[in-house]
Amino acid sequence: SQQGEEDPQALSIQEGENATMNCSYKTSINNLQWYRQNSGRGLVHLILIRSNEREKHSGRLRVTLDTSKKSSSLLITASRAADTASYFCATRDYGNNRLAFGKGNQVVVIP
Amino acid sequence: DTAVSQTPKYLVTQMGNDKSIKCEQNLGHDTMYWYKQDSKKFLKIMFSYNNKELIINETVPNRFSPKSPDKAHLNLHINSLELGDSAVYFCASSQGSGGNNQPQHFGDGTRLSIL
């Protein structure tokens, strides 16, 4: 099964700055999802974007999807210390009932 | 009011032992999953059940055997534990058949360490 690949792998920013992460994938997808994982916890779903959508917002999160480039980006605006976590993208192919997760981005927000 | 709960949270045991991990969800979801997350945080699907029926069975050693007594529970039994089994195991659930646009809800993981 194909995997999303996030880029960059680790990001350290000051509180208040924006954080941007990218994800690339290889197949035709039905949807792409972003999840957050705090240290020692399970993954928490953040946002889902369908293959026919180009941009989606949820609070301070903005996700874009470019199916021609097979890539997505997650932007966290006005970051907070509580945003410190690992962020994963996951893709679901058409006709497939499984999510393929990428390797994850570690984001550290310095207060 | 935990949505997806796994027990135990930590499991430290000797190589060769048999152990079980339990998972329960109170979200009324139809589909449950087991994932393995390695030391590099790579997350890989192992199994998925929909209404007690196995729908995903990845290339996993047959020492791993899932059991779903009802749609709210999915347990994982591991026989003859090996060093390479050390990882964090996550249970998750989602609404519907698993092949739709529903997000997955994860438990907090079981940290398995093999001595």
CSV table of all heavy atoms in Angstrom, one decimal, chain A residues 3-38:
chain,number,residue,atom,x,y,z
A,3,GLN,N,2.2,5.1,0.7
A,3,GLN,CA,2.3,5.9,1.9
A,3,GLN,C,2.4,7.4,1.6
A,3,GLN,O,3.0,7.7,0.6
A,3,GLN,CB,3.5,5.5,2.8
A,3,GLN,CG,3.5,4.0,3.1
A,3,GLN,CD,4.9,3.6,3.5
A,3,GLN,OE1,5.7,4.4,3.8
A,3,GLN,NE2,5.2,2.3,3.5
A,4,GLY,N,1.9,8.2,2.5
A,4,GLY,CA,2.1,9.6,2.4
A,4,GLY,C,3.5,9.9,3.0
A,4,GLY,O,3.9,9.2,3.9
A,5,GLU,N,4.2,10.8,2.4
A,5,GLU,CA,5.6,11.1,2.9
A,5,GLU,C,5.5,12.6,3.3
A,5,GLU,O,5.3,13.5,2.5
A,5,GLU,CB,6.6,10.9,1.8
A,5,GLU,CG,6.8,9.5,1.4
A,5,GLU,CD,7.7,8.7,2.4
A,5,GLU,OE1,8.5,9.4,3.1
A,5,GLU,OE2,7.7,7.5,2.4
A,6,GLU,N,5.7,12.9,4.6
A,6,GLU,CA,5.7,14.2,5.0
A,6,GLU,C,7.1,14.8,4.8
A,6,GLU,O,8.1,14.2,4.9
A,6,GLU,CB,5.3,14.3,6.5
A,6,GLU,CG,3.9,14.0,6.8
A,6,GLU,CD,3.7,12.5,7.0
A,6,GLU,OE1,4.7,11.8,7.0
A,6,GLU,OE2,2.6,12.1,7.2
A,7,ASP,N,7.1,16.2,4.7
A,7,ASP,CA,8.3,16.9,4.6
A,7,ASP,C,8.1,18.3,5.1
A,7,ASP,O,7.1,18.9,4.8
A,7,ASP,CB,8.7,17.0,3.1
A,7,ASP,CG,9.9,17.8,2.9
A,7,ASP,OD1,9.8,19.0,2.7
A,7,ASP,OD2,11.0,17.3,2.9
A,8,PRO,N,8.9,18.9,6.0
A,8,PRO,CA,10.1,18.3,6.6
A,8,PRO,C,9.8,17.3,7.7
A,8,PRO,O,8.7,17.2,8.2
A,8,PRO,CB,10.8,19.5,7.1
A,8,PRO,CG,9.7,20.5,7.5
A,8,PRO,CD,8.6,20.2,6.5
A,9,GLN,N,10.8,16.6,8.2
A,9,GLN,CA,10.6,15.6,9.2
A,9,GLN,C,10.5,16.3,10.6
A,9,GLN,O,9.9,15.8,11.5
A,9,GLN,CB,11.8,14.6,9.2
A,9,GLN,CG,11.9,13.9,7.9
A,9,GLN,CD,10.8,12.9,7.7
A,9,GLN,OE1,10.6,12.1,8.6
A,9,GLN,NE2,10.1,13.0,6.6
A,10,ALA,N,11.3,17.4,10.8
A,10,ALA,CA,11.3,18.0,12.1
A,10,ALA,C,11.3,19.5,11.9
A,10,ALA,O,12.0,20.0,11.0
A,10,ALA,CB,12.5,17.6,13.0
A,11,LEU,N,10.5,20.2,12.7
A,11,LEU,CA,10.4,21.6,12.6
A,11,LEU,C,10.3,22.3,14.0
A,11,LEU,O,9.6,21.8,14.8
A,11,LEU,CB,9.1,21.9,11.8
A,11,LEU,CG,8.7,23.4,11.5
A,11,LEU,CD1,9.8,23.9,10.6
A,11,LEU,CD2,7.4,23.4,10.9
A,12,SER,N,11.1,23.3,14.2
A,12,SER,CA,11.1,24.0,15.5
A,12,SER,C,10.9,25.4,15.2
A,12,SER,O,11.6,26.1,14.4
A,12,SER,CB,12.5,23.8,16.1
A,12,SER,OG,12.5,24.3,17.4
A,13,ILE,N,9.8,26.0,15.8
A,13,ILE,CA,9.4,27.4,15.6
A,13,ILE,C,9.1,28.1,16.9
A,13,ILE,O,8.9,27.4,17.9
A,13,ILE,CB,8.2,27.4,14.6
A,13,ILE,CG1,7.0,26.6,15.2
A,13,ILE,CG2,8.5,26.9,13.2
A,13,ILE,CD1,5.7,26.8,14.5
A,14,GLN,N,9.1,29.4,16.8
A,14,GLN,CA,8.7,30.2,17.9
A,14,GLN,C,7.1,30.3,18.0
A,14,GLN,O,6.5,30.3,17.0
A,14,GLN,CB,9.3,31.6,17.8
A,14,GLN,CG,10.8,31.7,17.9
A,14,GLN,CD,11.3,31.4,19.3
A,14,GLN,OE1,10.6,31.6,20.3
A,14,GLN,NE2,12.5,30.8,19.4
A,15,GLU,N,6.6,30.4,19.2
A,15,GLU,CA,5.2,30.6,19.4
A,15,GLU,C,4.8,31.8,18.6
A,15,GLU,O,5.4,32.8,18.6
A,15,GLU,CB,4.9,30.7,20.9
A,15,GLU,CG,3.5,30.5,21.3
A,15,GLU,CD,3.3,30.3,22.8
A,15,GLU,OE1,4.1,30.9,23.5
A,15,GLU,OE2,2.4,29.5,23.2
A,16,GLY,N,3.6,31.7,18.0
A,16,GLY,CA,3.1,32.8,17.2
A,16,GLY,C,3.4,32.7,15.7
A,16,GLY,O,2.7,33.3,14.8
A,17,GLU,N,4.5,31.9,15.4
A,17,GLU,CA,4.8,31.7,14.0
A,17,GLU,C,3.9,30.7,13.3
A,17,GLU,O,3.2,30.0,14.0
A,17,GLU,CB,6.3,31.3,13.8
A,17,GLU,CG,7.3,32.3,14.2
A,17,GLU,CD,8.7,31.8,14.1
A,17,GLU,OE1,8.9,30.6,14.0
A,17,GLU,OE2,9.6,32.7,14.1
A,18,ASN,N,4.0,30.7,12.0
A,18,ASN,CA,3.2,29.6,11.3
A,18,ASN,C,4.1,28.4,11.0
A,18,ASN,O,5.3,28.5,10.8
A,18,ASN,CB,2.7,30.2,9.9
A,18,ASN,CG,1.7,31.3,10.1
A,18,ASN,OD1,1.2,31.5,11.2
A,18,ASN,ND2,1.6,32.1,9.0
A,19,ALA,N,3.5,27.3,11.0
A,19,ALA,CA,4.2,26.0,10.7
A,19,ALA,C,3.5,25.4,9.4
A,19,ALA,O,2.3,25.3,9.4
A,19,ALA,CB,4.1,25.1,11.8
A,20,THR,N,4.4,25.0,8.5
A,20,THR,CA,3.9,24.4,7.3
A,20,THR,C,4.5,23.0,7.1
A,20,THR,O,5.8,22.9,7.2
A,20,THR,CB,4.2,25.2,6.0
A,20,THR,OG1,3.5,26.5,6.2
A,20,THR,CG2,3.6,24.6,4.8
A,21,MET,N,3.7,22.0,6.8
A,21,MET,CA,4.2,20.7,6.5
A,21,MET,C,3.7,20.2,5.2
A,21,MET,O,2.5,20.6,4.8
A,21,MET,CB,3.7,19.7,7.6
A,21,MET,CG,4.4,19.9,8.9
A,21,MET,SD,3.3,19.3,10.2
A,21,MET,CE,2.4,20.8,10.6
A,22,ASN,N,4.4,19.4,4.5
A,22,ASN,CA,4.0,18.9,3.2
A,22,ASN,C,3.9,17.4,3.2
A,22,ASN,O,4.6,16.7,4.0
A,22,ASN,CB,5.0,19.3,2.1
A,22,ASN,CG,5.0,20.8,1.9
A,22,ASN,OD1,3.9,21.4,1.8
A,22,ASN,ND2,6.2,21.4,2.0
A,23,CYS,N,3.1,16.9,2.4
A,23,CYS,CA,2.9,15.4,2.3
A,23,CYS,C,2.8,15.0,0.8
A,23,CYS,O,2.0,15.7,0.1
A,23,CYS,CB,1.7,15.0,3.1
A,23,CYS,SG,1.1,13.3,2.8
A,24,SER,N,3.5,14.0,0.4
A,24,SER,CA,3.4,13.6,-1.0
A,24,SER,C,2.9,12.1,-1.0
A,24,SER,O,3.2,11.4,0.0
A,24,SER,CB,4.7,13.7,-1.8
A,24,SER,OG,5.7,13.0,-1.2
A,25,TYR,N,2.2,11.7,-2.0
A,25,TYR,CA,1.8,10.4,-2.1
A,25,TYR,C,1.9,9.9,-3.6
A,25,TYR,O,2.3,10.7,-4.5
A,25,TYR,CB,0.3,10.3,-1.6
A,25,TYR,CG,-0.7,11.2,-2.4
A,25,TYR,CD1,-1.3,10.8,-3.5
A,25,TYR,CD2,-0.9,12.5,-1.9
A,25,TYR,CE1,-2.2,11.6,-4.1
A,25,TYR,CE2,-1.7,13.3,-2.6
A,25,TYR,CZ,-2.4,12.9,-3.7
A,25,TYR,OH,-3.3,13.7,-4.3
A,26,LYS,N,1.6,8.6,-3.8
A,26,LYS,CA,1.9,8.1,-5.1
A,26,LYS,C,0.7,7.6,-5.9
A,26,LYS,O,0.9,7.4,-7.2
A,26,LYS,CB,2.9,6.9,-4.9
A,26,LYS,CG,4.2,7.4,-4.4
A,26,LYS,CD,5.2,6.2,-4.1
A,26,LYS,CE,6.4,6.7,-3.4
A,26,LYS,NZ,7.3,5.6,-3.0
A,27,THR,N,-0.4,7.3,-5.3
A,27,THR,CA,-1.5,6.7,-6.1
A,27,THR,C,-2.7,7.7,-6.2
A,27,THR,O,-2.6,8.8,-5.8
A,27,THR,CB,-2.0,5.4,-5.4
A,27,THR,OG1,-2.5,5.8,-4.1
A,27,THR,CG2,-0.8,4.4,-5.2
A,28,SER,N,-3.8,7.2,-6.8
A,28,SER,CA,-5.0,8.0,-6.9
A,28,SER,C,-5.8,7.8,-5.6
A,28,SER,O,-6.1,6.7,-5.2
A,28,SER,CB,-5.9,7.5,-8.1
A,28,SER,OG,-5.2,7.8,-9.3
A,29,ILE,N,-6.1,8.9,-4.9
A,29,ILE,CA,-6.7,8.8,-3.6
A,29,ILE,C,-8.1,9.2,-3.6
A,29,ILE,O,-8.6,10.0,-4.5
A,29,ILE,CB,-5.9,9.7,-2.6
A,29,ILE,CG1,-5.9,11.2,-3.0
A,29,ILE,CG2,-4.5,9.2,-2.5
A,29,ILE,CD1,-5.4,12.1,-1.9
A,30,ASN,N,-8.9,8.7,-2.6
A,30,ASN,CA,-10.2,9.1,-2.4
A,30,ASN,C,-10.2,10.3,-1.5
A,30,ASN,O,-11.0,11.3,-1.7
A,30,ASN,CB,-11.0,7.9,-1.8
A,30,ASN,CG,-12.4,8.3,-1.4
A,30,ASN,OD1,-12.6,9.1,-0.4
A,30,ASN,ND2,-13.4,7.8,-2.1
A,31,ASN,N,-9.4,10.3,-0.4
A,31,ASN,CA,-9.3,11.4,0.5
A,31,ASN,C,-7.9,11.4,1.1
A,31,ASN,O,-7.2,10.4,1.1
A,31,ASN,CB,-10.4,11.4,1.5
A,31,ASN,CG,-10.4,10.3,2.5
A,31,ASN,OD1,-9.5,10.2,3.3
A,31,ASN,ND2,-11.3,9.4,2.4
A,32,LEU,N,-7.5,12.5,1.8
A,32,LEU,CA,-6.3,12.6,2.5
A,32,LEU,C,-6.7,13.2,3.9
A,32,LEU,O,-7.5,14.1,3.9
A,32,LEU,CB,-5.3,13.5,1.8
A,32,LEU,CG,-3.9,13.6,2.4
A,32,LEU,CD1,-2.8,13.7,1.3
A,32,LEU,CD2,-3.8,14.8,3.3
A,33,GLN,N,-6.1,12.6,4.9
A,33,GLN,CA,-6.4,13.1,6.3
A,33,GLN,C,-5.1,13.5,7.0
A,33,GLN,O,-4.1,12.9,6.7
A,33,GLN,CB,-7.1,11.9,7.0
A,33,GLN,CG,-8.4,11.4,6.3
A,33,GLN,CD,-9.0,10.3,7.0
A,33,GLN,OE1,-8.9,10.1,8.2
A,33,GLN,NE2,-9.7,9.4,6.3
A,34,TRP,N,-5.2,14.4,7.9
A,34,TRP,CA,-4.1,14.8,8.7
A,34,TRP,C,-4.5,14.5,10.2
A,34,TRP,O,-5.6,14.7,10.6
A,34,TRP,CB,-3.8,16.3,8.6
A,34,TRP,CG,-3.1,16.7,7.4
A,34,TRP,CD1,-3.6,17.1,6.2
A,34,TRP,CD2,-1.7,16.7,7.2
A,34,TRP,NE1,-2.7,17.3,5.3
A,34,TRP,CE2,-1.4,17.1,5.8
A,34,TRP,CE3,-0.6,16.4,8.0
A,34,TRP,CZ2,-0.2,17.2,5.3
A,34,TRP,CZ3,0.7,16.6,7.5
A,34,TRP,CH2,0.9,16.9,6.2
A,35,TYR,N,-3.5,13.9,10.9
A,35,TYR,CA,-3.7,13.6,12.3
A,35,TYR,C,-2.5,14.2,13.1
A,35,TYR,O,-1.4,14.4,12.6
A,35,TYR,CB,-3.6,12.0,12.5
A,35,TYR,CG,-4.8,11.3,12.0
A,35,TYR,CD1,-5.0,11.0,10.6
A,35,TYR,CD2,-5.8,10.8,12.8
A,35,TYR,CE1,-6.1,10.3,10.1
A,35,TYR,CE2,-6.9,10.1,12.4
A,35,TYR,CZ,-7.1,9.9,11.0
A,35,TYR,OH,-8.2,9.2,10.6
A,36,ARG,N,-2.8,14.4,14.4
A,36,ARG,CA,-1.8,14.9,15.3
A,36,ARG,C,-1.6,13.8,16.4
A,36,ARG,O,-2.6,13.2,16.8
A,36,ARG,CB,-2.3,16.2,16.0
A,36,ARG,CG,-1.3,16.8,16.9
A,36,ARG,CD,-1.9,18.0,17.7
A,36,ARG,NE,-2.8,17.5,18.7
A,36,ARG,CZ,-4.0,18.0,18.9
A,36,ARG,NH1,-4.5,18.9,18.1
A,36,ARG,NH2,-4.8,17.5,19.9
A,37,GLN,N,-0.4,13.7,16.8
A,37,GLN,CA,-0.1,12.7,17.9
A,37,GLN,C,0.8,13.5,18.9
A,37,GLN,O,1.9,13.8,18.7
A,37,GLN,CB,0.7,11.5,17.4
A,37,GLN,CG,0.9,10.5,18.5
A,37,GLN,CD,1.6,9.2,18.0
A,37,GLN,OE1,2.4,9.2,17.0
A,37,GLN,NE2,1.4,8.1,18.7
A,38,ASN,N,0.2,13.7,20.1
A,38,ASN,CA,1.0,14.2,21.2
A,38,ASN,C,1.8,13.1,21.8
A,38,ASN,O,1.5,11.9,21.7
A,38,ASN,CB,0.1,14.8,22.3
A,38,ASN,CG,-0.6,16.1,21.7
A,38,ASN,OD1,-1.7,16.1,21.2
A,38,ASN,ND2,0.1,17.2,21.9
